Amino acid sequence: MFSLTLAETAAALRKRQFSASELTETYLAAVEALNPRLNAFITPTPELAREQAAAADRALAAGEAGPLAGIPLGIKDLFCTKGVRTTAASRILAPFVPPYESTVTEHLRRDGAVFLGKTNLDEFAMGSSNITSAFGPVTNPWTRPSDAAPLVPGGSSGGSAAAVAARLALGATATDTGGSIRQPASFCGVAGIKPTYGRCSRWGIVAFASSLDQAGPLARTVEDCALLLNSMAGFDPKDSTSADRQVPDFAAASRRGVKGLRIGVPREYQSDGMPPEIAALWQQGLSWLREAGATLHDVSLPHTKYGLATYYIVAPAEASANLARYDGVRFGARVEGEDLDSMYENTRGAGFGAEVKRRVLIGTYVLSAGYYDAYYLRAQKVRALILRDFLDVFRDVDALLTPTAPSAAFAQGERMDDPVKMYLNDVFTVPANMAGIPGLSVPAGLDARGLPLGLQVLGKPFDEETVLAVGAAVEKAAGFAALPSLRAGEARP
Ligand code: GLN
Protein backbone atom coordinates (compact mmCIF):
# COMPACT_ATOMS: atom_id res chain seq x y z
CA MET A 1 0.00 0.00 0.00
CA PHE A 2 2.83 2.40 0.87
CA SER A 3 4.19 2.38 -2.68
CA LEU A 4 0.94 3.75 -4.15
CA THR A 5 0.60 7.47 -4.81
CA LEU A 6 -2.46 9.38 -3.66
CA ALA A 7 -4.03 9.15 -7.13
CA GLU A 8 -3.36 5.39 -7.30
CA THR A 9 -4.68 4.86 -3.78
CA ALA A 10 -7.89 6.75 -4.58
CA ALA A 11 -8.40 4.47 -7.60
CA ALA A 12 -7.67 1.33 -5.56
CA LEU A 13 -10.16 2.41 -2.88
CA ARG A 14 -12.83 2.90 -5.53
CA LYS A 15 -12.15 -0.59 -6.87
CA ARG A 16 -12.41 -1.86 -3.29
CA GLN A 17 -8.94 -3.44 -3.49
CA PHE A 18 -8.73 -2.55 0.17
CA SER A 19 -10.98 -0.57 2.46
CA ALA A 20 -10.39 2.91 3.80
CA SER A 21 -10.29 1.43 7.29
CA GLU A 22 -7.58 -1.09 6.32
CA LEU A 23 -5.59 1.68 4.68
CA THR A 24 -5.95 3.95 7.70
CA GLU A 25 -4.87 1.21 10.12
CA THR A 26 -1.80 0.59 7.97
CA TYR A 27 -0.85 4.28 8.03
CA LEU A 28 -1.64 4.67 11.74
CA ALA A 29 0.66 1.74 12.52
CA ALA A 30 3.41 3.38 10.48
CA VAL A 31 2.95 6.66 12.36
CA GLU A 32 3.13 4.83 15.66
CA ALA A 33 6.28 2.98 14.61
CA LEU A 34 8.23 5.87 13.10
CA ASN A 35 6.99 9.04 14.74
CA PRO A 36 9.10 8.54 17.87
CA ARG A 37 12.16 8.90 15.60
CA LEU A 38 10.90 11.59 13.24
CA ASN A 39 8.70 13.72 15.53
CA ALA A 40 6.72 14.67 12.44
CA PHE A 41 3.39 14.66 14.28
CA ILE A 42 2.74 16.72 17.40
CA THR A 43 -0.70 15.20 17.95
CA PRO A 44 -1.65 11.97 16.19
CA THR A 45 -5.45 11.65 15.92
CA PRO A 46 -6.10 7.90 15.53
CA GLU A 47 -9.69 8.05 16.78
CA LEU A 48 -10.65 10.82 14.39
CA ALA A 49 -8.89 8.96 11.56
CA ARG A 50 -10.80 5.74 12.28
CA GLU A 51 -14.13 7.58 12.34
CA GLN A 52 -13.39 9.34 9.07
CA ALA A 53 -12.20 6.08 7.46
CA ALA A 54 -15.40 4.30 8.50
CA ALA A 55 -17.44 7.15 7.03
CA ALA A 56 -15.38 6.96 3.83
CA ASP A 57 -16.07 3.22 3.57
CA ARG A 58 -19.79 3.83 3.93
CA ALA A 59 -19.67 6.54 1.26
CA LEU A 60 -17.61 4.33 -1.07
CA ALA A 61 -20.06 1.44 -0.63
CA ALA A 62 -22.98 3.76 -1.36
CA GLY A 63 -21.27 5.18 -4.45
CA GLU A 64 -21.33 8.66 -2.90
CA ALA A 65 -17.66 9.05 -2.09
CA GLY A 66 -15.92 12.41 -2.40
CA PRO A 67 -12.73 12.70 -4.47
CA LEU A 68 -10.47 12.19 -1.43
CA ALA A 69 -12.56 9.52 0.30
CA GLY A 70 -10.36 7.47 2.61
CA ILE A 71 -7.10 9.29 1.80
CA PRO A 72 -4.91 9.58 4.94
CA LEU A 73 -3.38 13.03 5.38
CA GLY A 74 -1.26 14.96 7.84
CA ILE A 75 -2.57 18.38 8.86
CA LYS A 76 -0.04 21.08 9.70
CA ASP A 77 -0.67 22.11 13.30
CA LEU A 78 -1.37 25.66 12.16
CA PHE A 79 -4.81 24.75 10.74
CA CYS A 80 -7.51 24.94 13.38
CA THR A 81 -9.32 21.64 13.76
CA LYS A 82 -12.54 21.60 15.74
CA GLY A 83 -12.12 19.72 19.00
CA VAL A 84 -8.50 18.80 18.21
CA ARG A 85 -5.69 20.67 19.91
CA THR A 86 -3.99 23.19 17.60
CA THR A 87 -0.65 24.44 18.93
CA ALA A 88 1.20 26.28 16.13
CA ALA A 89 4.14 24.47 17.79
CA SER A 90 4.12 27.12 20.51
CA ARG A 91 3.91 26.77 24.26
CA ILE A 92 1.46 29.64 24.28
CA LEU A 93 -1.10 27.63 22.28
CA ALA A 94 -0.27 24.23 23.82
CA PRO A 95 -3.65 24.04 25.62
CA PHE A 96 -5.70 25.52 22.74
CA VAL A 97 -8.57 23.38 21.41
CA PRO A 98 -10.34 25.37 18.67
CA PRO A 99 -14.14 25.45 18.66
CA TYR A 100 -14.04 25.83 14.86
CA GLU A 101 -12.56 24.23 11.75
CA SER A 102 -10.37 26.02 9.20
CA THR A 103 -11.95 26.38 5.76
CA VAL A 104 -9.17 24.38 4.10
CA THR A 105 -9.55 21.40 6.44
CA GLU A 106 -13.34 21.73 6.18
CA HIS A 107 -12.98 21.29 2.40
CA LEU A 108 -10.78 18.22 2.89
CA ARG A 109 -13.33 16.73 5.31
CA ARG A 110 -16.14 17.45 2.83
CA ASP A 111 -14.21 15.49 0.19
CA GLY A 112 -13.75 12.47 2.47
CA ALA A 113 -10.12 12.78 3.61
CA VAL A 114 -8.84 11.04 6.75
CA PHE A 115 -6.80 13.09 9.25
CA LEU A 116 -3.98 11.05 10.81
CA GLY A 117 -2.83 13.89 13.03
CA LYS A 118 -1.43 17.38 13.41
CA THR A 119 2.07 17.80 12.02
CA ASN A 120 5.00 19.59 13.60
CA LEU A 121 6.33 22.95 12.39
CA ASP A 122 8.52 25.85 13.39
CA GLU A 123 6.86 27.89 16.13
CA PHE A 124 4.15 30.01 14.48
CA ALA A 125 5.67 28.91 11.14
CA MET A 126 8.74 31.08 11.72
CA GLY A 127 11.79 29.22 10.54
CA SER A 128 13.45 27.06 7.91
CA SER A 129 14.52 24.03 9.90
CA ASN A 130 11.82 23.00 12.40
CA ILE A 131 14.30 23.74 15.12
CA THR A 132 12.08 26.37 16.74
CA SER A 133 9.15 24.04 17.55
CA ALA A 134 8.28 23.99 21.26
CA PHE A 135 7.56 20.29 20.75
CA GLY A 136 11.10 19.42 19.66
CA PRO A 137 12.66 19.35 16.18
CA VAL A 138 11.52 17.17 13.30
CA THR A 139 14.13 14.81 11.87
CA ASN A 140 14.42 14.48 8.10
CA PRO A 141 13.86 10.84 7.06
CA TRP A 142 16.80 11.24 4.65
CA THR A 143 20.35 10.84 5.91
CA ARG A 144 23.70 11.25 4.22
CA PRO A 145 25.16 7.80 3.61
CA SER A 146 28.54 9.15 4.75
CA ASP A 147 27.49 10.08 8.27
CA ALA A 148 24.42 9.47 10.36
CA ALA A 149 23.99 13.10 11.50
CA PRO A 150 20.29 13.88 11.89
CA LEU A 151 19.25 16.38 9.23
CA VAL A 152 16.60 19.09 9.35
CA PRO A 153 13.50 18.60 7.15
CA GLY A 154 13.37 22.31 6.28
CA GLY A 155 10.68 24.60 7.57
CA SER A 156 8.30 25.65 8.55
CA SER A 157 6.16 22.77 7.21
CA GLY A 158 8.89 20.26 8.10
CA GLY A 159 6.59 17.85 9.91
CA SER A 160 4.26 17.68 6.90
CA ALA A 161 7.16 17.18 4.46
CA ALA A 162 8.88 14.56 6.64
CA ALA A 163 5.59 12.68 7.10
CA VAL A 164 4.97 12.53 3.34
CA ALA A 165 8.60 11.61 2.55
CA ALA A 166 8.65 8.82 5.16
CA ARG A 167 5.31 7.57 3.82
CA LEU A 168 3.47 8.24 7.03
CA ALA A 169 0.78 10.06 5.02
CA LEU A 170 -0.23 10.30 1.36
CA GLY A 171 -0.24 14.06 1.49
CA ALA A 172 -0.33 16.91 3.96
CA THR A 173 -1.50 20.45 4.33
CA ALA A 174 1.13 23.14 4.66
CA THR A 175 1.46 26.92 4.58
CA ASP A 176 4.00 29.11 2.85
CA THR A 177 4.74 32.65 4.01
CA GLY A 178 8.29 32.85 2.65
CA GLY A 179 8.95 29.34 1.37
CA SER A 180 7.58 26.99 3.99
CA ILE A 181 5.98 24.63 1.49
CA ARG A 182 8.65 24.67 -1.20
CA GLN A 183 11.85 24.58 0.88
CA PRO A 184 10.82 21.57 3.03
CA ALA A 185 9.56 19.86 -0.15
CA SER A 186 13.03 20.32 -1.62
CA PHE A 187 14.79 19.11 1.56
CA CYS A 188 12.60 16.00 1.85
CA GLY A 189 12.31 14.97 -1.81
CA VAL A 190 8.57 15.59 -2.19
CA ALA A 191 6.41 17.94 -4.26
CA GLY A 192 4.63 21.01 -2.92
CA ILE A 193 2.79 24.00 -4.32
CA LYS A 194 2.12 27.41 -2.86
CA PRO A 195 -0.83 28.66 -4.88
CA THR A 196 -1.56 32.28 -5.70
CA TYR A 197 -2.30 34.44 -2.66
CA GLY A 198 -6.07 34.24 -2.20
CA ARG A 199 -6.54 30.84 -3.86
CA CYS A 200 -7.00 29.03 -0.52
CA SER A 201 -8.87 30.62 2.35
CA ARG A 202 -6.78 31.69 5.33
CA TRP A 203 -9.80 31.44 7.64
CA GLY A 204 -8.95 29.32 10.67
CA ILE A 205 -5.21 29.19 9.94
CA VAL A 206 -3.14 30.62 12.78
CA ALA A 207 -1.85 33.88 11.28
CA PHE A 208 1.85 34.64 10.85
CA ALA A 209 2.05 37.40 8.21
CA SER A 210 -1.41 37.86 6.75
CA SER A 211 -0.46 39.46 3.42
CA LEU A 212 1.99 36.61 2.68
CA ASP A 213 0.50 33.46 4.27
CA GLN A 214 -0.94 30.98 1.81
CA ALA A 215 -2.00 27.36 2.28
CA GLY A 216 -1.09 24.57 -0.11
CA PRO A 217 -0.42 20.84 -0.28
CA LEU A 218 2.65 18.63 0.01
CA ALA A 219 2.52 15.19 -1.63
CA ARG A 220 4.68 12.63 -3.42
CA THR A 221 3.82 13.73 -6.95
CA VAL A 222 2.71 16.85 -8.78
CA GLU A 223 -0.58 15.17 -9.72
CA ASP A 224 -1.21 14.32 -6.05
CA CYS A 225 -0.60 17.97 -5.14
CA ALA A 226 -3.08 18.99 -7.84
CA LEU A 227 -5.74 16.63 -6.45
CA LEU A 228 -5.29 18.06 -2.95
CA LEU A 229 -5.27 21.65 -4.18
CA ASN A 230 -8.55 21.03 -6.01
CA SER A 231 -10.12 20.29 -2.64
CA MET A 232 -8.32 22.92 -0.53
CA ALA A 233 -8.89 25.87 -2.88
CA GLY A 234 -12.03 27.92 -3.41
CA PHE A 235 -13.70 31.18 -2.49
CA ASP A 236 -14.57 31.75 1.14
CA PRO A 237 -16.64 34.75 2.21
CA LYS A 238 -15.07 34.43 5.69
CA ASP A 239 -11.67 35.54 4.33
CA SER A 240 -11.79 39.00 2.75
CA THR A 241 -8.62 38.25 0.74
CA SER A 242 -9.98 34.99 -0.64
CA ALA A 243 -10.33 35.14 -4.43
CA ASP A 244 -13.79 34.72 -5.92
CA ARG A 245 -12.67 32.58 -8.82
CA GLN A 246 -13.54 29.21 -10.30
CA VAL A 247 -11.25 26.39 -9.20
CA PRO A 248 -10.01 24.77 -12.41
CA ASP A 249 -9.30 21.05 -12.74
CA PHE A 250 -5.71 21.20 -11.52
CA ALA A 251 -5.12 17.46 -11.93
CA ALA A 252 -6.05 17.63 -15.61
CA ALA A 253 -3.82 20.68 -16.01
CA SER A 254 -0.86 18.77 -14.56
CA ARG A 255 -1.10 16.36 -17.51
CA ARG A 256 -1.12 19.07 -20.19
CA GLY A 257 2.54 18.97 -21.18
CA VAL A 258 4.75 21.94 -21.99
CA LYS A 259 4.88 21.94 -25.79
CA GLY A 260 5.13 25.52 -27.01
CA LEU A 261 5.42 27.03 -23.54
CA ARG A 262 7.90 29.84 -23.01
CA ILE A 263 10.05 29.31 -19.92
CA GLY A 264 11.95 32.23 -18.41
CA VAL A 265 15.37 31.88 -16.79
CA PRO A 266 15.81 34.76 -14.35
CA ARG A 267 19.32 36.15 -14.56
CA GLU A 268 19.29 37.44 -10.97
CA TYR A 269 18.93 33.94 -9.52
CA GLN A 270 22.36 33.01 -10.89
CA SER A 271 24.34 34.12 -7.87
CA ASP A 272 28.09 33.59 -7.74
CA GLY A 273 27.77 31.69 -4.51
CA MET A 274 25.43 29.06 -5.92
CA PRO A 275 26.84 25.56 -5.27
CA PRO A 276 27.89 24.05 -8.63
CA GLU A 277 25.65 21.01 -8.25
CA ILE A 278 22.59 23.20 -7.79
CA ALA A 279 23.56 25.28 -10.83
CA ALA A 280 24.06 22.04 -12.78
CA LEU A 281 20.68 20.65 -11.75
CA TRP A 282 19.02 23.89 -12.80
CA GLN A 283 20.65 23.63 -16.25
CA GLN A 284 19.52 20.02 -16.41
CA GLY A 285 15.94 21.05 -15.58
CA LEU A 286 16.02 23.65 -18.35
CA SER A 287 17.24 21.05 -20.87
CA TRP A 288 14.47 18.68 -19.83
CA LEU A 289 11.89 21.37 -20.53
CA ARG A 290 13.45 22.17 -23.88
CA GLU A 291 13.43 18.49 -24.83
CA ALA A 292 9.75 18.34 -23.82
CA GLY A 293 8.94 21.10 -26.31
CA ALA A 294 9.27 24.34 -24.35
CA THR A 295 11.48 27.25 -25.36
CA LEU A 296 13.89 29.00 -22.97
CA HIS A 297 14.29 32.75 -22.56
CA ASP A 298 16.61 34.87 -20.43
CA VAL A 299 14.65 37.30 -18.29
CA SER A 300 15.52 39.89 -15.70
CA LEU A 301 13.87 40.56 -12.33
CA PRO A 302 15.92 43.54 -11.17
CA HIS A 303 14.22 44.01 -7.78
CA THR A 304 14.31 40.39 -6.72
CA LYS A 305 17.61 41.03 -4.93
CA TYR A 306 15.67 43.08 -2.37
CA GLY A 307 13.19 40.28 -1.76
CA LEU A 308 14.81 38.80 1.31
CA ALA A 309 15.59 42.12 2.98
CA THR A 310 12.08 43.46 2.51
CA TYR A 311 10.48 40.14 3.49
CA TYR A 312 12.28 40.30 6.83
CA ILE A 313 10.66 43.68 7.43
CA VAL A 314 7.13 42.94 6.21
CA ALA A 315 6.82 39.46 7.74
CA PRO A 316 7.93 40.43 11.28
CA ALA A 317 5.83 43.62 11.12
CA GLU A 318 2.67 41.65 10.39
CA ALA A 319 3.67 38.94 12.85
CA SER A 320 4.10 41.42 15.68
CA ALA A 321 0.57 42.69 15.06
CA ASN A 322 -0.94 39.21 14.65
CA LEU A 323 0.72 37.83 17.77
CA ALA A 324 -0.54 40.68 19.96
CA ARG A 325 -3.69 38.60 20.51
CA TYR A 326 -1.80 36.07 22.67
CA ASP A 327 -2.19 37.95 25.90
CA GLY A 328 -3.20 35.24 28.35
CA VAL A 329 -6.82 36.34 28.19
CA ARG A 330 -8.34 35.06 24.98
CA PHE A 331 -6.32 32.05 23.81
CA GLY A 332 -4.17 29.33 25.25
CA ALA A 333 -1.72 29.63 28.09
CA ARG A 334 -1.74 32.22 30.88
CA VAL A 335 0.89 32.90 33.52
CA GLU A 336 -0.49 34.97 36.40
CA GLY A 337 1.22 38.14 37.64
CA GLU A 338 0.74 40.80 40.26
CA ASP A 339 -1.29 42.98 37.93
CA LEU A 340 -2.59 42.93 34.35
CA ASP A 341 0.66 44.15 32.79
CA SER A 342 2.80 41.61 34.57
CA MET A 343 0.33 38.86 33.61
CA TYR A 344 0.80 39.88 29.93
CA GLU A 345 4.56 39.92 30.35
CA ASN A 346 4.74 36.63 32.18
CA THR A 347 2.43 34.92 29.69
CA ARG A 348 4.27 36.17 26.61
CA GLY A 349 7.69 35.74 28.22
CA ALA A 350 7.03 32.10 29.03
CA GLY A 351 4.81 31.32 26.05
CA PHE A 352 6.96 32.45 23.10
CA GLY A 353 10.30 30.98 22.05
CA ALA A 354 13.41 32.97 21.12
CA GLU A 355 12.76 33.20 17.36
CA VAL A 356 9.19 34.40 17.87
CA LYS A 357 10.37 37.04 20.35
CA ARG A 358 13.03 38.15 17.87
CA ARG A 359 10.39 38.62 15.17
CA VAL A 360 8.03 40.50 17.50
CA LEU A 361 10.88 42.82 18.47
CA ILE A 362 11.91 43.47 14.87
CA GLY A 363 8.29 43.92 13.81
CA THR A 364 7.50 46.34 16.60
CA TYR A 365 10.62 48.32 15.77
CA VAL A 366 9.91 48.70 12.05
CA LEU A 367 6.33 49.74 12.76
CA SER A 368 7.19 52.25 15.47
CA ALA A 369 6.79 56.02 15.04
CA GLY A 370 9.81 57.46 13.30
CA TYR A 371 10.80 54.14 11.68
CA TYR A 372 7.55 53.23 9.95
CA ASP A 373 8.32 55.32 6.87
CA ALA A 374 11.97 54.39 6.75
CA TYR A 375 11.43 50.63 6.97
CA TYR A 376 7.89 49.34 6.66
CA LEU A 377 6.56 51.77 4.09
CA ARG A 378 9.72 51.52 2.07
CA ALA A 379 9.62 47.74 2.11
CA GLN A 380 6.03 47.86 0.86
CA LYS A 381 7.10 50.10 -2.01
CA VAL A 382 9.89 47.72 -2.98
CA ARG A 383 7.39 44.92 -2.76
CA ALA A 384 5.27 46.61 -5.41
CA LEU A 385 8.36 46.76 -7.64
CA ILE A 386 9.06 43.05 -7.10
CA LEU A 387 5.53 42.28 -8.28
CA ARG A 388 5.89 44.62 -11.27
CA ASP A 389 9.07 42.81 -12.34
CA PHE A 390 7.21 39.51 -12.39
CA LEU A 391 4.20 40.92 -14.26
CA ASP A 392 6.52 42.49 -16.87
CA VAL A 393 8.33 39.22 -17.40
CA PHE A 394 5.09 37.24 -17.61
CA ARG A 395 4.11 39.26 -20.64
CA ASP A 396 6.83 37.35 -22.49
CA VAL A 397 7.01 33.98 -20.77
CA ASP A 398 4.52 31.51 -19.30
CA ALA A 399 6.54 30.35 -16.29
CA LEU A 400 9.98 30.57 -14.70
CA LEU A 401 12.32 27.79 -13.58
CA THR A 402 14.77 28.29 -10.70
CA PRO A 403 16.33 26.21 -7.94
CA THR A 404 14.11 25.95 -4.84
CA ALA A 405 16.76 26.40 -2.16
CA PRO A 406 20.44 27.30 -2.07
CA SER A 407 21.40 24.00 -0.42
CA ALA A 408 20.23 20.49 0.38
CA ALA A 409 19.10 19.62 3.91
CA PHE A 410 21.67 20.54 6.55
CA ALA A 411 22.36 18.91 9.89
CA GLN A 412 20.48 19.76 13.05
CA GLY A 413 22.70 22.22 14.87
CA GLU A 414 24.25 23.71 11.70
CA ARG A 415 23.45 27.41 11.01
CA MET A 416 21.66 27.64 14.32
CA ASP A 417 23.90 30.25 15.88
CA ASP A 418 23.20 32.95 13.30
CA PRO A 419 19.59 33.86 12.48
CA VAL A 420 20.65 35.81 9.39
CA LYS A 421 22.33 32.73 7.90
CA MET A 422 19.11 30.85 8.49
CA TYR A 423 17.12 33.56 6.72
CA LEU A 424 19.26 33.08 3.58
CA ASN A 425 17.51 29.76 2.98
CA ASP A 426 14.54 31.68 1.67
CA VAL A 427 16.38 33.67 -0.99
CA PHE A 428 14.76 31.86 -3.97
CA THR A 429 11.32 31.33 -2.46
CA VAL A 430 10.50 34.68 -0.83
CA PRO A 431 9.98 36.76 -4.02
CA ALA A 432 6.91 34.66 -4.94
CA ASN A 433 5.33 35.46 -1.57
CA MET A 434 6.13 39.14 -1.87
CA ALA A 435 4.44 39.13 -5.29
CA GLY A 436 1.65 36.70 -4.35
CA ILE A 437 2.36 34.47 -7.37
CA PRO A 438 2.16 30.65 -7.40
CA GLY A 439 5.30 28.54 -6.89
CA LEU A 440 5.91 24.83 -6.91
CA SER A 441 8.86 22.68 -5.89
CA VAL A 442 9.46 19.32 -7.50
CA PRO A 443 12.19 16.82 -6.59
CA ALA A 444 14.64 16.81 -9.47
CA GLY A 445 17.78 15.01 -8.34
CA LEU A 446 20.24 14.12 -5.60
CA ASP A 447 23.34 16.00 -4.54
CA ALA A 448 26.75 14.37 -4.25
CA ARG A 449 25.90 13.29 -0.72
CA GLY A 450 22.71 11.57 -1.80
CA LEU A 451 20.27 14.20 -0.60
CA PRO A 452 17.27 15.45 -2.60
CA LEU A 453 17.26 18.79 -4.41
CA GLY A 454 14.19 20.52 -5.78
CA LEU A 455 13.55 22.83 -8.69
CA GLN A 456 11.04 25.65 -8.43
CA VAL A 457 8.46 26.66 -11.02
CA LEU A 458 6.94 30.15 -10.70
CA GLY A 459 3.88 31.26 -12.62
CA LYS A 460 1.41 34.03 -13.32
CA PRO A 461 -1.16 34.97 -10.69
CA PHE A 462 -3.96 32.36 -10.73
CA ASP A 463 -2.20 30.29 -13.37
CA GLU A 464 -1.42 27.30 -11.16
CA GLU A 465 -2.42 25.17 -14.14
CA THR A 466 0.70 26.07 -16.13
CA VAL A 467 2.86 25.81 -13.01
CA LEU A 468 1.59 22.27 -12.43
CA ALA A 469 2.07 21.32 -16.08
CA VAL A 470 5.69 22.54 -16.04
CA GLY A 471 6.31 20.85 -12.68
CA ALA A 472 4.92 17.58 -13.99
CA ALA A 473 7.19 17.79 -17.05
CA VAL A 474 10.26 18.26 -14.84
CA GLU A 475 9.08 15.42 -12.61
CA LYS A 476 8.62 13.09 -15.56
CA ALA A 477 12.04 13.84 -17.02
CA ALA A 478 13.78 13.63 -13.64
CA GLY A 479 12.22 10.26 -12.83
CA PHE A 480 13.10 10.87 -9.19
CA ALA A 481 12.68 7.46 -7.54
CA ALA A 482 15.12 7.62 -4.63
CA LEU A 483 13.66 6.97 -1.19
CA PRO A 484 14.76 8.12 2.25
CA SER A 485 16.39 5.62 4.57
CA LEU A 486 13.66 6.00 7.16
CA ARG A 487 10.23 5.16 5.76
CA ALA A 488 7.22 2.98 6.25
CA GLY A 489 7.66 -0.51 4.82
CA GLU A 490 5.44 -2.44 2.47
CA ALA A 491 3.26 -4.21 5.03
CA ARG A 492 -0.24 -5.53 4.51
CA PRO A 493 -2.74 -5.05 7.31
N1 GLN B 1 11.64 30.62 6.59
C1 GLN B 1 10.79 31.73 6.44
C2 GLN B 1 10.62 32.45 7.75
O1 GLN B 1 11.19 32.03 8.67
C3 GLN B 1 9.48 31.33 5.85
C4 GLN B 1 8.56 30.72 6.82
C5 GLN B 1 7.25 30.41 6.20
O2 GLN B 1 7.09 30.40 4.99
N2 GLN B 1 6.28 30.17 7.06
O3 GLN B 1 9.92 33.41 7.85
Side-chain angles (χ1 to χ4, degrees):
M1 283 185 195
F2 291 116
S3 60
L4 302 179
T5 65
L6 191 156
E8 290 163 352
T9 304
L13 282 166
R14 276 187 163 59
K15 286 192 219 129
R16 310 305 285 159
Q17 287 174 0
F18 43 76
S19 70
S21 295
E22 286 166 331
L23 178 72
T24 293
E25 291 304 332
T26 306
Y27 271 92
L28 285 174
V31 172
E32 201 177 300
L34 289 182
N35 200 46
R37 289 169 70 187
L38 295 171
N39 201 26
F41 287 86
I42 294 177
T43 311
T45 54
E47 281 171 32
L48 172 62
R50 288 188 178 112
E51 261 169 48
Q52 290 173 316
D57 277 327
R58 286 193 297 273
L60 284 159
E64 294 163 357
L68 297 175
I71 298 296
L73 301 178
I75 304 297
K76 186 177 183 178
D77 206 16
L78 202 63
F79 291 80
C80 287
T81 38
K82 189 173 179 178
V84 176
R85 181 170 82 134
T86 300
T87 69
S90 180
R91 276 189 299 277
I92 212 159
L93 282 179
F96 177 54
V97 178
Y100 43 77
E101 185 79 23
S102 83
T103 298
V104 163
T105 49
E106 185 68 56
H107 286 180
L108 293 169
R109 283 177 188 263
R110 172 201 68 201
D111 290 340
V114 169
F115 295 173
L116 298 170
K118 305 299 291 287
T119 57
N120 206 347
L121 64 150
D122 282 294
E123 185 177 6
F124 282 104
M126 298 173 190
S128 309
S129 61
N130 256 260
I131 277 304
T132 71
S133 168
F135 296 85
V138 176
T139 299
N140 193 323
W142 291 81
T143 44
R144 306 167 183 147
S146 52
D147 66 75
L151 305 178
V152 305
S156 65
S157 311
S160 289
V164 173
R167 304 189 156 183
L168 302 186
L170 277 166
T173 67
T175 60
D176 191 312
T177 303
S180 280
I181 292 177
R182 293 159 286 156
Q183 185 253 17
S186 181
F187 278 22
C188 291
V190 301
I193 179 166
K194 175 197 96 72
T196 311
Y197 183 79
R199 183 62 97 177
C200 292
S201 169
R202 286 183 298 109
W203 197 82
I205 301 174
V206 176
F208 165 10
S210 306
S211 76
L212 300 161
D213 297 345
Q214 179 56 210
L218 285 160
R220 286 183 213 165
T221 68
V222 172
E223 183 190 24
D224 288 357
C225 284
L227 289 167
L228 288 171
L229 185 59
N230 265 118
S231 174
M232 293 165 71
F235 175 61
D236 178 11
K238 288 188 288 205
D239 170 3
S240 62
T241 60
S242 158
D244 193 358
R245 285 182 170 248
Q246 255 342 86
V247 178
D249 184 342
F250 292 127
S254 72
R255 296 187 283 266
R256 263 182 206 171
V258 295
K259 206 158 258 139
L261 286 185
R262 297 170 64 85
I263 304 296
V265 189
R267 195 171 307 149
E268 289 76 11
Y269 279 67
Q270 300 163 23
S271 75
D272 293 339
M274 184 182 287
E277 38 186 3
I278 291 186
L281 185 71
W282 186 14
Q283 286 312 313
Q284 176 66 260
L286 292 167
S287 320
W288 286 330
L289 289 176
R290 195 175 35 218
E291 283 155 24
T295 55
L296 306 179
H297 307 271
D298 276 328
V299 298
S300 172
L301 299 163
H303 297 93
T304 260
K305 59 175 177 284
Y306 305 118
L308 204 57
T310 47
Y311 170 84
Y312 277 100
I313 292 173
V314 174
E318 295 184 13
S320 72
N322 274 326
L323 270 54
R325 74 190 68 175
Y326 305 107
D327 55 4
V329 178
R330 288 166 291 180
F331 298 90
R334 172 186 184 116
V335 181
E336 295 298 345
E338 280 156 24
D339 53 18
L340 188 63
D341 282 341
S342 62
M343 188 279 286
Y344 290 156
E345 284 169 16
N346 293 346
T347 298
R348 290 169 68 83
F352 292 142
E355 182 60 28
V356 172
K357 286 178 187 160
R358 185 176 298 122
R359 306 268 180 129
V360 170
L361 284 172
I362 297 171
T364 310
Y365 179 81
V366 300
L367 289 175
S368 57
Y371 295 106
Y372 183 91
D373 290 2
Y375 295 110
Y376 184 70
L377 211 60
R378 208 151 212 221
Q380 291 288 36
K381 286 181 181 162
V382 176
R383 183 177 183 180
L385 296 175
I386 292 172
L387 171 61
R388 203 170 67 189
D389 282 357
F390 278 116
L391 296 181
D392 283 347
V393 156
F394 285 133
R395 275 202 284 263
D396 291 330
V397 298
D398 300 295
L400 306 172
L401 189 77
T402 77
T404 305
S407 74
F410 44 89
Q412 289 175 5
E414 272 173 34
R415 304 182 198 188
M416 307 287 159
D417 50 338
D418 182 352
V420 174
K421 247 189 236 161
M422 193 63 87
Y423 297 168
L424 289 174
N425 269 295
D426 308 328
V427 64
F428 299 141
T429 48
V430 146
N433 301 80
M434 294 300 268
I437 62 172
L440 168 148
S441 180
V442 56
L446 297 175
D447 75 355
R449 298 198 279 191
L451 297 178
L453 294 171
L455 288 175
Q456 173 177 243
V457 183
L458 300 174
K460 297 174 188 171
F462 296 104
D463 188 17
E464 289 85 0
E465 293 163 275
T466 301
V467 171
L468 290 160
V470 174
V474 172
E475 176 181 60
K476 190 169 162 206
F480 185 87
L483 290 169
S485 45
L486 212 59
R487 63 175 194 275
E490 188 58 53
R492 291 252 143 199

